[in-house]
Amino acid sequence: MGDIWEGLVEAVKLIFSFDPYVMRITLFTLYVCAIATFFGMLIGVPLGSVLALYRFHGRKFMVTLVNAGMGLPPVVVGLFIYLLLKRRGPLGFLGWLYTPRAIILAQIVLAMPLIAGITMAAMQNVNPKLRLQSKSLGAGEVRSTLTLLRENRLSLVAAVIAGFGGIISEVGAAMIVGGNLLVNGEPYTRTLTTATVLEISKGNSTSAIALGLILLAITFILVWVMTLIQQGTLLNHPARLARSLMSRRRKEEPA
Amino acid sequence: MSSFLRVEGLQHAYGGRQVLDVGSFELGEGEIIAIVGPNGSGKSTLLRILNLLEEPTAGELTFWNGVRLSTMTRQEKKELSGKMAMIFQEPLLFKRTVRANVAYGLKMHRVAKEERNRKVQEIMERLDIEELAERDAMTLSGGEAQKVTLGRALVLEPRLLLMDEPLASLDVPARKSLRADISRLVKEMGVTAVYVTHDYHEVLEIADRLAVLLDGELQQVGKPTEVFGRPATEGVAEFLGAENLLEGEVSACRQGMADLDIAGINIEALCEEPPGSRVKVLIHPEEVVLLAGSGDAGSARNRLPARVSDVKALGALVKVDLDCGFPLIAYITLASREEMGIERGRRVTAVIKATSIHVLPYVGPGA
């Protein structure tokens, strides 16, 4: 128990002293997760929408793939990406193995099905007549789909939360394809999760606890912000405040 | 009235199953046509086809600008769609403010912001919904929401307004108010409208013409009074709630006047069917006149001695069930009932003019 308490105190000191090593790993983790979530959304949201709104040959197979993808083990994804990117693999010529790009690629593969699957489920739950209504008011295929996505923004934010949460906490794929490397003493492919595993294996529980705490804090803050966006409080509150100030000013003016 | 929209040989099937075979009909500019029929008769499908949201299996549509469905280009389809608007049964509003909902179609048609704001304001004032402008559309009552959908459709100044049972989900006061708004605004704006419903009562006030669609087939199109007065088929009569729809046989026919045998009772009616033909006979209850005793029947050809088997007060009217060899229903006023002392068991004479008896072709069971 004493070790844990000591570890916690040390961890807090490490965080608030803005230790360069810890800061770099944290920023690198945010960087790869943000890019992977962005690309996961870029592919997942349209894919989920198409699967929900259109009927075509092979749709069922694709739905099965997306659903299966939602439960992909990160280690298996890491292994698969490793086999693709290794020097003699089909994509070996890219030279991406043990680079941040490899981690991003693996994380896109992990996040995309989560985002596509949740988008698909949400879009399927919308009254199909809403799209007809949108079309009958002049929206084409794309704009009527965008309208539906906007109607579903709560679920879309949930999809992004799920995608981001899924990749920021995974360690297997990042470890396999990134290699947890330091280059010239600087973290190169070291994420918060891979660094935590390394610190534990070295018996350095203070650093491991610090990294773990940072990971928890980041996940909590980002999910909290996204939840505020989802529930409309973050964006609506300032707008509502501005509106109320404006109307108060208008009322005061004649007086 | 010039032809605004012509429908020819329109058919539609889902998975090989024919759901629509409406033949041909025309829509005049500025008229309101009500398409009535039971649930599942293909009304909404017809509406979606007219709105170019669905392509029919066969048939041709010719629009007001001469564009035909069969040769329509993408651009023409887009332009035509922009001149139509549709209102569905449920008020399908988007999760945004009322103002943003009303502006939606204009935004989709890329109308400039100032123009858009002006038009939205104008239509909201005409519908008396300005005070709802900044409300979240999801917080509106059913009647308010449907009013907003009407505004959202009419702000586009459509040439053709398509309405799919817009009052179905509303309570009686909301129905009454919205029906009045639809009627007033559609006429004021000179919009041609197609109004689909399974409840024909709601369109009698506002429709210029009535079309009856049964099992995907258009059975009759005409002025509401014509369709109600002289239903073309037994199906139409039944759907429109005909209460005295009787089976009979033509026993003699001369110069358009026939003797009909209904359950052994002879009545005279206007009819061209040859003797021996089985027919359906429609007698509107309000066209049956009751006389106490034998009374004076005037020029009416049919005087049937009857016994009152039941009497039910229906507000200002009284429904009288008669037995005159066959069951017959008559409607009389409360005052007439008191004057004649109409009670169960009372003997009366039912008088029916030959011109008030409508003879329809017989369609056997399962036909």
Side-chain angles (χ1 to χ4, degrees), chain A residues 188-250:
Chain A
Y188 179 57
T189 56
R190 185 160 294 179
T191 65
L192 284 167
T193 51
T194 58
T196 307
V197 172
L198 179 72
E199 296 303 327
I200 291 170
S201 67
K202 288 195 315 196
N204 192 354
S205 45
T206 310
S207 294
I209 292 173
L211 293 170
L213 271 182
I214 292 171
L215 186 60
L216 263 179
I218 288 174
T219 310
F220 180 79
I221 291 169
L222 288 177
V223 170
W224 179 57
V225 169
M226 283 193 259
T227 308
L228 288 182
I229 295 172
Q230 186 190 40
Q231 300 304 318
T233 21
L234 187 72
L235 300 180
N236 280 356
H237 188 66
R240 219 179 292 151
L241 199 69
R243 267 203 299 272
S244 101
L245 281 174
M246 292 291 282
S247 71
R248 197 178 301 165
R249 193 169 297 170
R250 269 201 296 273

Short mmCIF file of all heavy atoms in Angstrom, two decimals, chain A residues 188-250:
data_model
loop_
_atom_site.label_atom_id
_atom_site.label_comp_id
_atom_site.label_asym_id
_atom_site.label_seq_id
_atom_site.Cartn_x
_atom_site.Cartn_y
_atom_site.Cartn_z
N TYR A 188 10.13 8.18 -29.86
CA TYR A 188 9.83 8.23 -31.30
C TYR A 188 8.49 7.53 -31.60
O TYR A 188 7.63 8.09 -32.26
CB TYR A 188 10.97 7.58 -32.07
CG TYR A 188 10.76 7.57 -33.58
CD1 TYR A 188 10.55 8.75 -34.29
CD2 TYR A 188 10.79 6.36 -34.29
CE1 TYR A 188 10.36 8.73 -35.67
CE2 TYR A 188 10.61 6.34 -35.66
CZ TYR A 188 10.38 7.52 -36.35
OH TYR A 188 10.18 7.49 -37.70
N THR A 189 8.36 6.30 -31.09
CA THR A 189 7.09 5.58 -31.26
C THR A 189 6.57 5.11 -29.91
O THR A 189 5.96 4.07 -29.79
CB THR A 189 7.25 4.36 -32.20
OG1 THR A 189 8.29 3.54 -31.68
CG2 THR A 189 7.56 4.75 -33.61
N ARG A 190 6.91 5.89 -28.89
CA ARG A 190 6.52 5.49 -27.53
C ARG A 190 5.23 6.21 -27.14
O ARG A 190 5.17 7.44 -27.12
CB ARG A 190 7.64 5.83 -26.55
CG ARG A 190 7.36 5.34 -25.15
CD ARG A 190 8.63 5.26 -24.35
NE ARG A 190 9.53 4.24 -24.90
CZ ARG A 190 10.74 3.97 -24.42
NH1 ARG A 190 11.21 4.64 -23.38
NH2 ARG A 190 11.50 3.04 -24.96
N THR A 191 4.19 5.42 -26.87
CA THR A 191 2.92 6.00 -26.44
C THR A 191 2.78 5.83 -24.93
O THR A 191 3.59 5.13 -24.31
CB THR A 191 1.72 5.31 -27.13
OG1 THR A 191 1.68 3.96 -26.70
CG2 THR A 191 1.83 5.36 -28.65
N LEU A 192 1.75 6.42 -24.35
CA LEU A 192 1.54 6.30 -22.90
C LEU A 192 1.38 4.85 -22.48
O LEU A 192 1.89 4.43 -21.44
CB LEU A 192 0.31 7.11 -22.48
CG LEU A 192 0.50 8.63 -22.42
CD1 LEU A 192 -0.84 9.35 -22.30
CD2 LEU A 192 1.40 9.01 -21.25
N THR A 193 0.69 4.07 -23.32
CA THR A 193 0.45 2.67 -22.93
C THR A 193 1.73 1.84 -23.05
O THR A 193 2.07 1.08 -22.15
CB THR A 193 -0.66 2.04 -23.79
OG1 THR A 193 -0.34 2.27 -25.16
CG2 THR A 193 -2.03 2.58 -23.47
N THR A 194 2.44 2.02 -24.18
CA THR A 194 3.66 1.20 -24.34
C THR A 194 4.71 1.59 -23.31
O THR A 194 5.43 0.73 -22.78
CB THR A 194 4.24 1.32 -25.77
OG1 THR A 194 4.54 2.70 -26.03
CG2 THR A 194 3.30 0.80 -26.83
N ALA A 195 4.78 2.90 -23.01
CA ALA A 195 5.74 3.36 -22.00
C ALA A 195 5.39 2.80 -20.63
O ALA A 195 6.28 2.41 -19.86
CB ALA A 195 5.76 4.88 -21.96
N THR A 196 4.10 2.73 -20.32
CA THR A 196 3.66 2.18 -19.02
C THR A 196 4.10 0.73 -18.89
O THR A 196 4.66 0.31 -17.86
CB THR A 196 2.12 2.29 -18.89
OG1 THR A 196 1.74 3.63 -19.13
CG2 THR A 196 1.64 1.87 -17.51
N VAL A 197 3.89 -0.04 -19.97
CA VAL A 197 4.28 -1.46 -19.96
C VAL A 197 5.79 -1.56 -19.72
O VAL A 197 6.27 -2.37 -18.91
CB VAL A 197 3.89 -2.14 -21.29
CG1 VAL A 197 4.47 -3.55 -21.37
CG2 VAL A 197 2.38 -2.19 -21.43
N LEU A 198 6.56 -0.70 -20.40
CA LEU A 198 8.02 -0.74 -20.28
C LEU A 198 8.47 -0.41 -18.85
O LEU A 198 9.31 -1.11 -18.27
CB LEU A 198 8.63 0.27 -21.26
CG LEU A 198 10.16 0.35 -21.23
CD1 LEU A 198 10.76 -0.91 -21.86
CD2 LEU A 198 10.65 1.58 -21.98
N GLU A 199 7.85 0.64 -18.29
CA GLU A 199 8.24 1.05 -16.93
C GLU A 199 7.93 -0.06 -15.93
O GLU A 199 8.72 -0.32 -15.02
CB GLU A 199 7.50 2.34 -16.51
CG GLU A 199 7.84 3.58 -17.34
CD GLU A 199 9.32 3.91 -17.36
OE1 GLU A 199 10.01 3.67 -16.35
OE2 GLU A 199 9.81 4.37 -18.41
N ILE A 200 6.81 -0.74 -16.12
CA ILE A 200 6.46 -1.85 -15.21
C ILE A 200 7.49 -2.96 -15.35
O ILE A 200 7.97 -3.52 -14.36
CB ILE A 200 5.03 -2.37 -15.48
CG1 ILE A 200 4.02 -1.30 -15.06
CG2 ILE A 200 4.75 -3.67 -14.73
CD1 ILE A 200 2.60 -1.58 -15.49
N SER A 201 7.86 -3.25 -16.61
CA SER A 201 8.81 -4.36 -16.82
C SER A 201 10.18 -4.00 -16.22
O SER A 201 10.95 -4.88 -15.85
CB SER A 201 8.94 -4.68 -18.31
OG SER A 201 9.54 -3.60 -18.98
N LYS A 202 10.46 -2.69 -16.12
CA LYS A 202 11.73 -2.28 -15.49
C LYS A 202 11.60 -2.19 -13.98
O LYS A 202 12.55 -1.85 -13.27
CB LYS A 202 12.13 -0.90 -16.04
CG LYS A 202 12.60 -0.98 -17.48
CD LYS A 202 13.34 0.25 -17.99
CE LYS A 202 12.76 1.55 -17.66
NZ LYS A 202 13.26 2.68 -18.46
N GLY A 203 10.41 -2.40 -13.45
CA GLY A 203 10.19 -2.33 -12.01
C GLY A 203 10.05 -0.90 -11.52
O GLY A 203 10.10 -0.62 -10.32
N ASN A 204 9.86 0.05 -12.45
CA ASN A 204 9.78 1.47 -12.10
C ASN A 204 8.31 1.88 -11.94
O ASN A 204 7.71 2.48 -12.84
CB ASN A 204 10.47 2.27 -13.21
CG ASN A 204 10.70 3.70 -12.81
OD1 ASN A 204 10.25 4.13 -11.74
ND2 ASN A 204 11.40 4.43 -13.66
N SER A 205 7.74 1.51 -10.80
CA SER A 205 6.29 1.70 -10.67
C SER A 205 5.89 3.16 -10.55
O SER A 205 4.80 3.56 -10.94
CB SER A 205 5.72 0.89 -9.50
OG SER A 205 6.53 1.04 -8.39
N THR A 206 6.77 4.05 -10.05
CA THR A 206 6.42 5.47 -9.93
C THR A 206 6.11 6.04 -11.31
O THR A 206 5.07 6.66 -11.53
CB THR A 206 7.60 6.26 -9.31
OG1 THR A 206 8.00 5.57 -8.15
CG2 THR A 206 7.20 7.68 -9.00
N SER A 207 7.01 5.83 -12.24
CA SER A 207 6.79 6.33 -13.61
C SER A 207 5.57 5.68 -14.21
O SER A 207 4.78 6.34 -14.90
CB SER A 207 7.99 6.02 -14.50
OG SER A 207 9.10 6.73 -14.05
N ALA A 208 5.43 4.36 -13.96
CA ALA A 208 4.27 3.65 -14.55
C ALA A 208 2.97 4.25 -14.03
O ALA A 208 2.04 4.49 -14.81
CB ALA A 208 4.35 2.16 -14.20
N ILE A 209 2.94 4.53 -12.71
CA ILE A 209 1.71 5.11 -12.13
C ILE A 209 1.47 6.50 -12.71
O ILE A 209 0.35 6.87 -13.07
CB ILE A 209 1.78 5.16 -10.59
CG1 ILE A 209 1.75 3.73 -10.03
CG2 ILE A 209 0.62 5.95 -10.01
CD1 ILE A 209 1.99 3.64 -8.53
N ALA A 210 2.54 7.29 -12.85
CA ALA A 210 2.40 8.64 -13.42
C ALA A 210 1.83 8.57 -14.83
O ALA A 210 0.88 9.29 -15.18
CB ALA A 210 3.76 9.33 -13.43
N LEU A 211 2.40 7.69 -15.63
CA LEU A 211 1.92 7.57 -17.02
C LEU A 211 0.47 7.09 -17.05
O LEU A 211 -0.35 7.57 -17.83
CB LEU A 211 2.83 6.61 -17.80
CG LEU A 211 4.26 7.11 -18.03
CD1 LEU A 211 5.14 5.99 -18.59
CD2 LEU A 211 4.29 8.30 -18.97
N GLY A 212 0.19 6.13 -16.17
CA GLY A 212 -1.18 5.60 -16.10
C GLY A 212 -2.17 6.68 -15.71
O GLY A 212 -3.26 6.79 -16.27
N LEU A 213 -1.75 7.52 -14.72
CA LEU A 213 -2.63 8.61 -14.28
C LEU A 213 -2.89 9.62 -15.39
O LEU A 213 -4.01 10.08 -15.60
CB LEU A 213 -1.98 9.35 -13.10
CG LEU A 213 -2.28 8.81 -11.70
CD1 LEU A 213 -1.59 9.70 -10.66
CD2 LEU A 213 -3.78 8.79 -11.44
N ILE A 214 -1.82 9.93 -16.13
CA ILE A 214 -1.97 10.88 -17.24
C ILE A 214 -2.94 10.31 -18.28
O ILE A 214 -3.83 10.99 -18.79
CB ILE A 214 -0.60 11.19 -17.88
CG1 ILE A 214 0.24 11.98 -16.88
CG2 ILE A 214 -0.76 11.97 -19.18
CD1 ILE A 214 1.68 12.17 -17.31
N LEU A 215 -2.75 9.02 -18.57
CA LEU A 215 -3.62 8.37 -19.55
C LEU A 215 -5.08 8.44 -19.11
O LEU A 215 -5.98 8.79 -19.89
CB LEU A 215 -3.19 6.90 -19.71
CG LEU A 215 -3.90 6.09 -20.79
CD1 LEU A 215 -3.68 6.69 -22.15
CD2 LEU A 215 -3.37 4.65 -20.78
N LEU A 216 -5.28 8.16 -17.82
CA LEU A 216 -6.64 8.22 -17.27
C LEU A 216 -7.21 9.63 -17.37
O LEU A 216 -8.36 9.84 -17.79
CB LEU A 216 -6.62 7.81 -15.80
CG LEU A 216 -6.96 6.37 -15.47
CD1 LEU A 216 -6.87 6.15 -13.97
CD2 LEU A 216 -8.37 6.03 -15.96
N ALA A 217 -6.37 10.61 -16.97
CA ALA A 217 -6.83 12.01 -16.96
C ALA A 217 -7.18 12.47 -18.38
O ALA A 217 -8.22 13.10 -18.60
CB ALA A 217 -5.75 12.89 -16.36
N ILE A 218 -6.30 12.14 -19.33
CA ILE A 218 -6.56 12.56 -20.72
C ILE A 218 -7.86 11.94 -21.22
O ILE A 218 -8.73 12.60 -21.79
CB ILE A 218 -5.41 12.13 -21.65
CG1 ILE A 218 -4.19 12.98 -21.37
CG2 ILE A 218 -5.81 12.26 -23.11
CD1 ILE A 218 -2.97 12.53 -22.14
N THR A 219 -7.99 10.64 -20.99
CA THR A 219 -9.20 9.94 -21.46
C THR A 219 -10.44 10.58 -20.84
O THR A 219 -11.41 10.89 -21.53
CB THR A 219 -9.14 8.44 -21.07
OG1 THR A 219 -7.87 7.94 -21.50
CG2 THR A 219 -10.25 7.65 -21.71
N PHE A 220 -10.35 10.83 -19.52
CA PHE A 220 -11.51 11.40 -18.83
C PHE A 220 -11.84 12.79 -19.37
O PHE A 220 -13.00 13.08 -19.70
CB PHE A 220 -11.24 11.45 -17.33
CG PHE A 220 -12.39 12.03 -16.56
CD1 PHE A 220 -13.51 11.25 -16.29
CD2 PHE A 220 -12.39 13.35 -16.16
CE1 PHE A 220 -14.59 11.78 -15.61
CE2 PHE A 220 -13.47 13.89 -15.48
CZ PHE A 220 -14.57 13.10 -15.20
N ILE A 221 -10.83 13.65 -19.51
CA ILE A 221 -11.09 15.03 -19.95
C ILE A 221 -11.67 15.04 -21.37
O ILE A 221 -12.66 15.72 -21.65
CB ILE A 221 -9.79 15.88 -19.88
CG1 ILE A 221 -9.42 16.10 -18.41
CG2 ILE A 221 -9.98 17.22 -20.58
CD1 ILE A 221 -8.04 16.69 -18.21
N LEU A 222 -11.04 14.25 -22.26
CA LEU A 222 -11.53 14.27 -23.65
C LEU A 222 -12.95 13.70 -23.76
O LEU A 222 -13.79 14.25 -24.47
CB LEU A 222 -10.57 13.49 -24.55
CG LEU A 222 -9.25 14.21 -24.81
CD1 LEU A 222 -8.31 13.36 -25.64
CD2 LEU A 222 -9.48 15.55 -25.50
N VAL A 223 -13.20 12.64 -23.05
CA VAL A 223 -14.54 12.05 -23.10
C VAL A 223 -15.56 13.01 -22.48
O VAL A 223 -16.68 13.17 -22.96
CB VAL A 223 -14.57 10.66 -22.41
CG1 VAL A 223 -15.99 10.16 -22.25
CG2 VAL A 223 -13.76 9.66 -23.21
N TRP A 224 -15.13 13.72 -21.44
CA TRP A 224 -16.01 14.71 -20.78
C TRP A 224 -16.35 15.84 -21.76
O TRP A 224 -17.51 16.22 -21.90
CB TRP A 224 -15.30 15.24 -19.53
CG TRP A 224 -16.06 16.28 -18.78
CD1 TRP A 224 -17.32 16.16 -18.25
CD2 TRP A 224 -15.62 17.60 -18.45
NE1 TRP A 224 -17.68 17.31 -17.63
CE2 TRP A 224 -16.67 18.22 -17.73
CE3 TRP A 224 -14.46 18.31 -18.69
CZ2 TRP A 224 -16.57 19.52 -17.26
CZ3 TRP A 224 -14.35 19.60 -18.21
CH2 TRP A 224 -15.40 20.20 -17.51
N VAL A 225 -15.31 16.35 -22.45
CA VAL A 225 -15.54 17.43 -23.43
C VAL A 225 -16.49 16.94 -24.53
O VAL A 225 -17.45 17.64 -24.90
CB VAL A 225 -14.19 17.91 -24.04
CG1 VAL A 225 -14.44 18.83 -25.23
CG2 VAL A 225 -13.37 18.62 -22.98
N MET A 226 -16.23 15.73 -25.02
CA MET A 226 -17.09 15.20 -26.09
C MET A 226 -18.52 14.98 -25.58
O MET A 226 -19.48 15.17 -26.32
CB MET A 226 -16.50 13.92 -26.66
CG MET A 226 -15.33 14.21 -27.60
SD MET A 226 -14.83 12.80 -28.56
CE MET A 226 -13.41 12.25 -27.66
N THR A 227 -18.63 14.58 -24.33
CA THR A 227 -19.97 14.38 -23.76
C THR A 227 -20.70 15.72 -23.68
O THR A 227 -21.89 15.81 -23.97
CB THR A 227 -19.88 13.74 -22.36
OG1 THR A 227 -19.07 12.58 -22.47
CG2 THR A 227 -21.25 13.35 -21.84
N LEU A 228 -19.96 16.77 -23.30
CA LEU A 228 -20.59 18.10 -23.24
C LEU A 228 -21.06 18.51 -24.63
O LEU A 228 -22.15 19.06 -24.79
CB LEU A 228 -19.59 19.13 -22.70
CG LEU A 228 -19.25 19.04 -21.21
CD1 LEU A 228 -18.29 20.15 -20.82
CD2 LEU A 228 -20.52 19.14 -20.36
N ILE A 229 -20.23 18.22 -25.63
CA ILE A 229 -20.63 18.54 -27.01
C ILE A 229 -21.87 17.72 -27.37
O ILE A 229 -22.85 18.23 -27.90
CB ILE A 229 -19.49 18.23 -28.01
CG1 ILE A 229 -18.30 19.13 -27.75
CG2 ILE A 229 -19.98 18.37 -29.45
CD1 ILE A 229 -17.06 18.78 -28.55
N GLN A 230 -21.83 16.44 -27.02
CA GLN A 230 -22.94 15.54 -27.34
C GLN A 230 -24.25 16.01 -26.72
O GLN A 230 -25.28 16.03 -27.37
CB GLN A 230 -22.60 14.14 -26.84
CG GLN A 230 -23.62 13.09 -27.25
CD GLN A 230 -23.37 11.78 -26.52
OE1 GLN A 230 -23.06 11.78 -25.34
NE2 GLN A 230 -23.50 10.69 -27.24
N GLN A 231 -24.17 16.43 -25.46
CA GLN A 231 -25.38 16.83 -24.77
C GLN A 231 -25.77 18.28 -25.05
O GLN A 231 -26.74 18.79 -24.53
CB GLN A 231 -25.24 16.63 -23.25
CG GLN A 231 -24.97 15.18 -22.85
CD GLN A 231 -26.02 14.21 -23.35
OE1 GLN A 231 -27.22 14.50 -23.31
NE2 GLN A 231 -25.61 13.06 -23.87
N GLY A 232 -24.93 18.94 -25.87
CA GLY A 232 -25.28 20.29 -26.31
C GLY A 232 -24.94 21.36 -25.31
O GLY A 232 -25.20 22.53 -25.56
N THR A 233 -24.33 21.03 -24.17
CA THR A 233 -24.07 22.07 -23.16
C THR A 233 -22.87 22.92 -23.52
O THR A 233 -22.87 24.12 -23.34
CB THR A 233 -23.86 21.44 -21.78
OG1 THR A 233 -23.50 20.10 -21.95
CG2 THR A 233 -25.08 21.55 -20.93
N LEU A 234 -21.82 22.28 -24.07
CA LEU A 234 -20.59 23.03 -24.32
C LEU A 234 -20.82 24.10 -25.38
O LEU A 234 -20.37 25.23 -25.24
CB LEU A 234 -19.49 22.07 -24.77
CG LEU A 234 -18.12 22.72 -24.89
CD1 LEU A 234 -17.57 23.03 -23.52
CD2 LEU A 234 -17.15 21.85 -25.64
N LEU A 235 -21.53 23.74 -26.46
CA LEU A 235 -21.71 24.69 -27.54
C LEU A 235 -22.91 25.59 -27.29
O LEU A 235 -22.91 26.74 -27.67
CB LEU A 235 -21.88 23.94 -28.87
CG LEU A 235 -20.69 23.06 -29.25
CD1 LEU A 235 -20.96 22.36 -30.58
CD2 LEU A 235 -19.42 23.89 -29.38
N ASN A 236 -23.93 25.03 -26.64
CA ASN A 236 -25.15 25.81 -26.45
C ASN A 236 -25.03 26.83 -25.34
O ASN A 236 -25.60 27.90 -25.42
CB ASN A 236 -26.33 24.89 -26.12
CG ASN A 236 -26.87 24.26 -27.37
OD1 ASN A 236 -26.39 24.59 -28.46
ND2 ASN A 236 -27.83 23.39 -27.24
N HIS A 237 -24.27 26.48 -24.29
CA HIS A 237 -24.23 27.37 -23.13
C HIS A 237 -23.70 28.76 -23.50
O HIS A 237 -24.38 29.75 -23.23
CB HIS A 237 -23.43 26.74 -22.00
CG HIS A 237 -23.52 27.53 -20.74
ND1 HIS A 237 -24.71 27.68 -20.05
CD2 HIS A 237 -22.60 28.26 -20.08
CE1 HIS A 237 -24.50 28.45 -19.00
NE2 HIS A 237 -23.24 28.81 -19.00
N PRO A 238 -22.51 28.87 -24.14
CA PRO A 238 -22.04 30.21 -24.49
C PRO A 238 -23.02 30.92 -25.43
O PRO A 238 -23.25 32.12 -25.30
CB PRO A 238 -20.71 29.94 -25.20
CG PRO A 238 -20.32 28.57 -24.82
CD PRO A 238 -21.59 27.83 -24.56
N ALA A 239 -23.62 30.17 -26.37
CA ALA A 239 -24.54 30.79 -27.32
C ALA A 239 -25.77 31.32 -26.58
O ALA A 239 -26.23 32.44 -26.81
CB ALA A 239 -24.98 29.77 -28.36
N ARG A 240 -26.25 30.53 -25.61
CA ARG A 240 -27.43 30.94 -24.85
C ARG A 240 -27.11 32.18 -24.00
O ARG A 240 -27.87 33.11 -23.89
CB ARG A 240 -27.87 29.78 -23.95
CG ARG A 240 -29.39 29.66 -23.87
CD ARG A 240 -29.79 28.50 -23.01
NE ARG A 240 -29.46 27.22 -23.60
CZ ARG A 240 -29.18 26.14 -22.91
NH1 ARG A 240 -29.17 26.15 -21.61
NH2 ARG A 240 -28.91 25.01 -23.52
N LEU A 241 -25.87 32.14 -23.44
CA LEU A 241 -25.42 33.26 -22.62
C LEU A 241 -25.36 34.54 -23.46
O LEU A 241 -25.86 35.60 -23.05
CB LEU A 241 -24.02 32.94 -22.07
CG LEU A 241 -23.56 33.73 -20.85
CD1 LEU A 241 -24.38 33.35 -19.64
CD2 LEU A 241 -22.08 33.47 -20.59
N ALA A 242 -24.80 34.41 -24.67
CA ALA A 242 -24.68 35.56 -25.56
C ALA A 242 -26.06 36.09 -25.92
O ALA A 242 -26.30 37.31 -25.90
CB ALA A 242 -23.92 35.16 -26.82
N ARG A 243 -26.97 35.17 -26.21
CA ARG A 243 -28.34 35.59 -26.60
C ARG A 243 -29.01 36.35 -25.45
O ARG A 243 -29.64 37.37 -25.64
CB ARG A 243 -29.18 34.37 -26.97
CG ARG A 243 -29.15 34.04 -28.46
CD ARG A 243 -30.39 33.24 -28.86
NE ARG A 243 -30.49 31.98 -28.18
CZ ARG A 243 -29.93 30.84 -28.61
NH1 ARG A 243 -29.20 30.85 -29.71
NH2 ARG A 243 -30.08 29.73 -27.95
N SER A 244 -28.84 35.80 -24.22
CA SER A 244 -29.52 36.43 -23.09
C SER A 244 -28.92 37.82 -22.83
O SER A 244 -29.62 38.76 -22.50
CB SER A 244 -29.48 35.52 -21.87
OG SER A 244 -28.51 35.93 -20.98
N LEU A 245 -27.57 37.95 -23.01
CA LEU A 245 -26.93 39.26 -22.83
C LEU A 245 -27.45 40.27 -23.86
O LEU A 245 -27.75 41.40 -23.53
CB LEU A 245 -25.41 39.12 -22.98
CG LEU A 245 -24.68 38.56 -21.75
CD1 LEU A 245 -23.21 38.33 -22.08
CD2 LEU A 245 -24.79 39.55 -20.58
N MET A 246 -27.56 39.77 -25.10
CA MET A 246 -28.04 40.64 -26.19
C MET A 246 -29.45 41.13 -25.89
O MET A 246 -29.77 42.30 -26.06
CB MET A 246 -28.05 39.89 -27.53
CG MET A 246 -26.69 39.54 -28.07
SD MET A 246 -25.79 41.00 -28.60
CE MET A 246 -26.58 41.28 -30.16
N SER A 247 -30.32 40.18 -25.47
CA SER A 247 -31.72 40.57 -25.26
C SER A 247 -31.82 41.52 -24.05
O SER A 247 -32.61 42.45 -24.06
CB SER A 247 -32.61 39.34 -25.07
OG SER A 247 -32.36 38.77 -23.84
N ARG A 248 -30.94 41.32 -23.03
CA ARG A 248 -30.97 42.21 -21.87
C ARG A 248 -30.56 43.62 -22.31
O ARG A 248 -31.15 44.61 -21.94
CB ARG A 248 -30.00 41.69 -20.79
CG ARG A 248 -30.28 42.32 -19.43
CD ARG A 248 -29.36 41.78 -18.37
NE ARG A 248 -29.46 40.34 -18.19
CZ ARG A 248 -28.55 39.63 -17.53
NH1 ARG A 248 -27.48 40.22 -17.03
NH2 ARG A 248 -28.69 38.34 -17.37
N ARG A 249 -29.53 43.65 -23.18
CA ARG A 249 -29.05 44.96 -23.65
C ARG A 249 -30.15 45.66 -24.44
O ARG A 249 -30.37 46.86 -24.31
CB ARG A 249 -27.81 44.74 -24.53
CG ARG A 249 -27.08 46.03 -24.80
CD ARG A 249 -25.73 45.77 -25.43
NE ARG A 249 -24.85 45.02 -24.55
CZ ARG A 249 -23.68 44.51 -24.96
NH1 ARG A 249 -23.30 44.64 -26.21
NH2 ARG A 249 -22.91 43.87 -24.13
N ARG A 250 -30.85 44.85 -25.27
CA ARG A 250 -31.92 45.45 -26.08
C ARG A 250 -33.02 46.02 -25.20
O ARG A 250 -33.58 47.07 -25.47
CB ARG A 250 -32.51 44.40 -27.03
CG ARG A 250 -31.80 44.38 -28.39
CD ARG A 250 -32.70 43.74 -29.44
NE ARG A 250 -32.97 42.33 -29.15
CZ ARG A 250 -32.18 41.34 -29.55
NH1 ARG A 250 -31.10 41.59 -30.26
NH2 ARG A 250 -32.48 40.10 -29.26
#
